[in-house]
Amino acid sequence: MEMLYSSTRSRQQVKASEAILKGLSEDGGLFVPDHIPALDKSLKELAGMTYQQVAYEVMKLYLTDFTEQELKSCIERAYDSKFDEASIVPLVEAGGVCYMELFHGPTIAFKDMALSILPHLMIASARKKHVEKEIVILTATSGDTGKAALAGFADVEGTRIVVFYPKNGVSPIQEKQMVTQKGKNTMVVGIHGNFDDAQTGVKKLFSDRKLEAEMAGKGFQFSSANSINIGRLVPQICYYVYTYGRLLGEGKLAEGELLNVVVPTGNFGNILAAFYAKHMGVPIGKLICASNENKVLYDFFRTGTYDRNREFVLTSSPSMDILVSSNLERLIYRIAGEDAARNQELMVALSGQGCYTITDGMREALSDFYGNYADEQETASQIRQLYGDCGYVMDTHTAVASAVYRKYVAETKDQTKTVIASTASPFKFTRSVMHAIDGKYDAMDDFALVDELARLANVKVPKAIEEIRTAPVLHENVCEVEEMEAVVRQFLGL
Ligand SMILES: *Cc1c(COP(=O)(O)O)cnc(C)c1O
């Protein structure tokens, strides 16, 4: 059955390849599949498959204008030895819960799960649509997307990539990873502003018709590697299906048994993928949405009002320092009965007044979700405690999820089996992680901390970290938010 993608703000429909190339719809809406397909293999069958095989079984249902060979070739190239675990997504038991480690890719954060395949999907889509223009990837990052997208697109023929990150809003390791990026087609720029400023600036460039026309004249077209791209959402569904299958295969779940998932959330992409997996037929129970002190989503789930009018807090989990969770729009559209006009009204209110309120009927449709948050202290003590109890060291984002899970259990007494999405390697946030374990580490430099962490956790320093230890800085651009357009123009020679 052919899958078409509708915009959340109009009735415009396109095929998967077009949605991937465009990123965002022209009306400013996000592309959503016109239905959520049911898995056509049983979970028992899926339980016996490799990650790559499961990925194919999931993605073929969404990317219906790709041939089997195209899709399999994209999957083979993405999930290969760039990952330091053959299983791609290892499951680790610690403190009575299962951690689904999504950080074994080339940049050691979960963004690799989607961004190692997106360039391949995009090139395949461009071929299919006979696109002759060079594709310019424009990305705003809260730290992890930027590096993962750079790694994915560096030196990919027919593409260029520009990444904007908040100059003072990412971890030292995250920044070093980005500014040492090689590749003639890459550009990395720090902005004086926060992630939302960067994201708003990028969205503005995307919807600038004059710029688009000028670029077309010079043989360029924009696309987005941000999590609004459906080519990122779809690959993220795969690991929920895979994880359920693995637990079933290992006898840790009985057939049909529910599994709760806890997801440290920022832009709402990862947890939305879990929601899709659930509606494809995976027996997922609660979708537990964990926020840090930027707790817009927690307030939303509690009150039905989404309100971004508040102070932006810089936390030790910077990839979740977000006040506008872009992917939530896809869920709003769905609970608004796929009514684009109604969704548009709410989104206009969000960009105008900075807030909107959903109806009681829409709130009822959110019963799959539970939201809570963890403050900085709760996050740090979670890291210290789990390390003390069993020697497992998790990163700050995962710790937010872990702390929220404890709150959920205390509040609901729900004993359903649970998996926590572990979204980054602790080595990516070494300073915060080591500080959480013991204040005595504060005086050590970043790479001494890396070595100490390897010793404490009894794991090898990941290759991604070894590589940046001595790598030269290749990108030193910093600009104001208002200068983002000029920077892009200069890079493209417009
Ligand atoms: C991006 C990111 C998140 C948030 O994921 P969303 O899909 O934006 O909700 C959480 N943790 C880490 C480490 C990330 O990089």
Side-chain angles (χ1 to χ4, degrees):
M1 190 169 156
E2 166 100 287
M3 175 74 80
L4 291 175
Y5 290 81
S6 318
S7 163
T8 52
R9 301 199 191 177
S10 70
R11 293 245 47 91
Q12 195 198 1
Q13 283 198 322
V14 297
K15 291 185 182 189
S17 56
E18 204 170 326
I20 289 170
L21 280 173
K22 284 197 155 125
L24 199 66
S25 167
E26 274 136 32
D27 51 37
L30 276 58
F31 288 113
V32 280
D34 61 4
H35 64 282
I36 299 182
L39 288 165
D40 64 5
K41 294 276 188 315
S42 72
L43 289 160
K44 246 185 153 160
E45 283 171 280
L46 292 162
M49 294 186 188
T50 63
Y51 189 84
Q52 293 82 350
Q53 288 167 328
V54 172
Y56 175 71
E57 293 302 328
V58 173
M59 291 175 64
K60 72 171 191 197
L61 301 171
Y62 286 93
L63 309 182
T64 51
D65 63 338
F66 284 64
T67 65
E68 175 173 349
Q69 214 222 318
E70 282 171 335
L71 203 47
K72 285 190 170 162
S73 144
C74 290
I75 290 168
E76 295 305 324
R77 287 191 221 188
Y79 306 113
D80 61 6
S81 58
K82 288 193 289 302
F83 284 75
D84 66 10
E85 285 275 341
S87 65
I88 307 297
V89 176
L91 304 176
V92 177
E93 296 265 345
V97 232
C98 174
Y99 289 84
M100 170 174 72
E101 293 190 346
L102 301 173
F103 58 77
H104 289 274
T107 75
I108 60 176
F110 106 94
K111 303 295 193 290
D112 289 325
M113 297 310 301
L115 280 163
S116 47
I117 194 165
L118 183 69
H120 303 293
L121 296 175
M122 217 172 247
I123 293 299
S125 301
R127 272 201 212 108
K128 206 181 282 300
K129 311 289 294 181
H130 306 292
V131 171
E132 307 279 319
K133 295 197 194 77
E134 204 169 334
I135 296 168
V136 181
I137 303 294
L138 198 56
T139 289
T141 183
S142 54
D144 291 333
T145 293
K147 179 61 187 185
L150 287 161
F153 283 97
D155 290 327
V156 171
E157 211 162 307
T159 70
R160 295 198 195 189
I161 173 163
V162 187
V163 168
F164 292 102
Y165 72 95
K167 179 68 189 150
N168 297 312
V170 301
S171 84
I173 299 277
Q174 282 180 311
E175 182 168 35
K176 184 96 196 267
Q177 276 189 304
M178 287 191 280
V179 298
T180 55
Q181 178 64 46
K182 292 185 202 139
K184 278 200 299 294
N185 64 337
T186 66
M187 169 140 195
V188 179
V189 188
I191 64 152
H192 290 130
N194 61 36
F195 169 69
D196 283 325
D197 298 327
Q199 180 156 264
T200 306
V202 162
K203 278 190 185 163
K204 215 166 104 195
L205 291 176
F206 272 123
S207 53
D208 185 334
R209 294 292 155 251
K210 187 168 154 275
L211 181 62
E212 181 181 82
E214 263 181 76
M215 286 182 47
K218 295 266 177 150
F220 295 115
Q221 78 178 50
F222 276 140
S223 190
S224 161
N226 271 82
S227 66
I228 48 174
N229 194 311
I230 199 73
R232 275 189 60 187
L233 190 57
V234 170
Q236 290 176 184
I237 302 168
C238 306
Y239 45 78
Y240 290 102
V241 179
Y242 173 72
T243 294
Y244 192 94
R246 271 271 301 279
L247 294 173
L248 187 66
E250 289 168 8
K252 293 184 178 139
L253 282 171
E255 236 174 294
E257 186 178 346
L258 286 181
L259 177 69
N260 287 346
V261 301
V262 192
V263 186
T265 297
N267 240 335
F268 210 75
N270 198 357
I271 196 164
L272 188 69
F275 175 81
Y276 278 37
K278 175 173 172 132
H279 288 271
M280 290 179 80
V282 180
I284 290 173
K286 280 282 177 204
L287 300 156
I288 299 169
C289 175
S291 302
N292 64 24
E293 288 178 14
N294 295 290
K295 57 184 184 59
V296 191
L297 288 165
Y298 163 68
D299 293 337
F300 171 68
F301 284 119
R302 247 186 4 151
T303 65
T305 295
Y306 192 96
D307 187 359
R308 62 153 302 175
N309 298 310
R310 63 181 74 205
E311 200 187 327
F312 185 96
V313 188
L314 287 177
T315 72
S316 59
S317 46
S319 303
M320 296 157 67
D321 288 347
I322 289 173
L323 294 180
V324 180
S325 298
S326 302
N327 271 292
L328 185 66
E329 180 169 345
R330 290 190 162 108
L331 184 64
I332 297 294
Y333 171 78
R334 187 179 163 94
I335 62 173
E338 316 219 319
D339 180 340
R342 209 157 144 211
N343 172 64
Q344 167 125 21
E345 242 169 68
L346 298 175
M347 295 307 135
V348 167
L350 180 62
S351 59
Q353 291 94 272
C355 68
Y356 61 80
T357 301
I358 59 171
T359 63
D360 288 346
M362 287 165 78
R363 274 185 79 182
E364 270 166 40
L366 292 178
S367 60
D368 286 344
F369 290 90
Y370 167 91
N372 213 326
Y373 75 102
D375 66 22
E376 288 292 273
Q377 211 187 333
E378 289 166 331
T379 304
S381 65
Q382 206 45 226
I383 294 174
R384 186 169 52 247
Q385 211 176 323
L386 191 65
Y387 170 66
D389 289 350
C390 60
Y392 183 68
V393 182
M394 61 185 160
D395 97 290
T396 45
H397 303 73
T398 309
V400 168
S402 199
V404 163
Y405 175 60
R406 308 287 161 201
K407 288 187 183 180
Y408 171 76
V409 173
E411 204 176 291
T412 63
K413 311 282 182 278
D414 184 357
Q415 292 300 314
T416 304
K417 282 226 176 67
T418 298
V419 60
I420 294 179
S422 179
T423 51
S425 158
F427 286 95
K428 199 153 189 175
F429 300 94
T430 327
R431 182 159 296 282
S432 302
V433 167
M434 294 301 279
H435 172 77
I437 291 175
D438 196 326
K440 75 179 182 197
Y441 296 118
D442 291 359
M444 289 165 75
D445 79 49
D446 287 320
F447 285 99
L449 282 176
V450 161
D451 294 328
E452 187 64 12
L453 172 56
R455 205 183 55 77
L456 285 190
N458 196 21
V459 291
K460 248 180 75 188
V461 176
K463 205 167 100 217
I465 297 292
E466 289 300 357
E467 277 169 5
I468 59 168
R469 226 185 251 268
T470 53
V473 171
L474 301 173
H475 302 269
E476 290 181 293
N477 303 302
V478 179
C479 79
E480 302 300 326
V481 177
E482 300 73 35
E483 293 168 336
M484 288 170 65
E485 181 178 341
V487 164
V488 171
R489 283 177 174 278
Q490 195 187 359
F491 181 54
L492 300 178
L494 298 181

